[in-house]
Each structure stands twice: as structure tokens, then as C-alpha cells.
Amino acid sequence: MSNPKAPADPVEAPAIDARLVRKIADILKDTGLSEIEVEHAGLKIRVARELTAAPVNYVQAAAPAYAPAPAAAPAAAAAPAAEAAPAPVAARGDAVKSPMVGTAYLSPQPGADPFVKVGDTVSAGQTLLIVEAMKTMNPIAAPKAGKIVEILVADAQPVEFGEPLVVIE
């Protein structure tokens, strides 16, 4: 007979709080992002949504603007990547990091003025740049008001998850 008071398996995974997953999914929906990953106390949760038939309306307007650019993007992106690794983030200010892997674009469409330039004053929630991931344009918003002191990526540059993009002071 088995002992009902036997200790639990020490390798047992922690229980996942469904309310936390729903809150993360709501953040995903509210921000228009396609995926988000959170890690806390050894528990990592990744929530992603698949856009197949009908992308979000703002994506439909932005996506065609960069449609012709991918042919030229690899050559343009190769030059900055070949120079050197990204410079360390300046001690002054806070870095805005990429929430996903993708391609960073500094303007809403080719040939247009960039969203922001070094020296610009931005307000919280203002779009700083966009990151394209899986043909979805994801606006990256300023987390706080401040002054742009450094832009760490070039237009059409591939970016990694967590890579610093812009520094706000």
C-alpha cells in the first residue's frame, strides 16, 4: 500500500497562476505586441499570439510601407553589424530595450522623418521606433518622459530580445 503522506516529488514544477497568465495576455493585447516573456523567481512565462488571417489594423497600414525595403535591408544592416559590437549603454539615462527579436525601423516608412532624434524631448507612451517581427510592425513606446540622449540602433538593423535600442535621460 502507498503512504498518502509521502513527500511530493522534489522536481515538481511550481503551479502556474492562471490569473497572472491572463494579466500578461491582457498586456499583450493592450500594447499590440505579438509576444511577451516574463521571468520572476525562477518561473518563466511566455505568452504569444499568432496573427494569421487578419492582423491588427495599424499593422496593415504600416506593413506595406516596408514591403519593398527587405531587398535592400540586408546590405544596409550588414555594414553596422560588421563594424563592431553595440556600444555599452551610457551611464546616464535609462535604456529602452527590445521586447522581441526582429528588425528595428526608426521611421514609419522609408524616406520619412524618424520618430525621434537625439536631443528630442519625448513623453511617456510616445512611439520611439518600430520593431518588425514576423511581418508585424510593433511600436516601441517611451516608458517615461525625458530627453533622447542616444539611439543605439540603425534603421533596418536586426535586434535581439533585450537589446538596448534608445537611451532616455
Side-chain angles (χ1 to χ4, degrees), residues 33-35 73 77 97-106 129-138 140 153-165:
L33 296 173
S34 58
E35 77 178 57
K97 297 180 180 180
S98 179
M100 66 196 75
V101 174
T103 303
Y105 293 106
L106 303 178
L129 52 95
I130 53 178
V131 174
E132 177 195 8
M134 298 176 57
K135 305 220 186 279
T136 301
M137 300 297 175
N138 301 286
I140 307 302
V153 294
D155 192 40
Q157 176 181 327
V159 295
E160 295 293 326
F161 173 80
E163 181 177 337
L165 304 169

Side-chain angles (χ1 to χ4, degrees), residues 115-124 126-128 142 144-149 168-169:
F115 289 106
V116 294
K117 297 183 286 292
V118 172
D120 286 355
T121 300
V122 296
S123 56
Q126 180 178 340
T127 300
L128 302 173
K144 66 175 191 171
K147 180 180 175 183
I148 302 295
V149 292
I168 299 176
E169 185 176 66

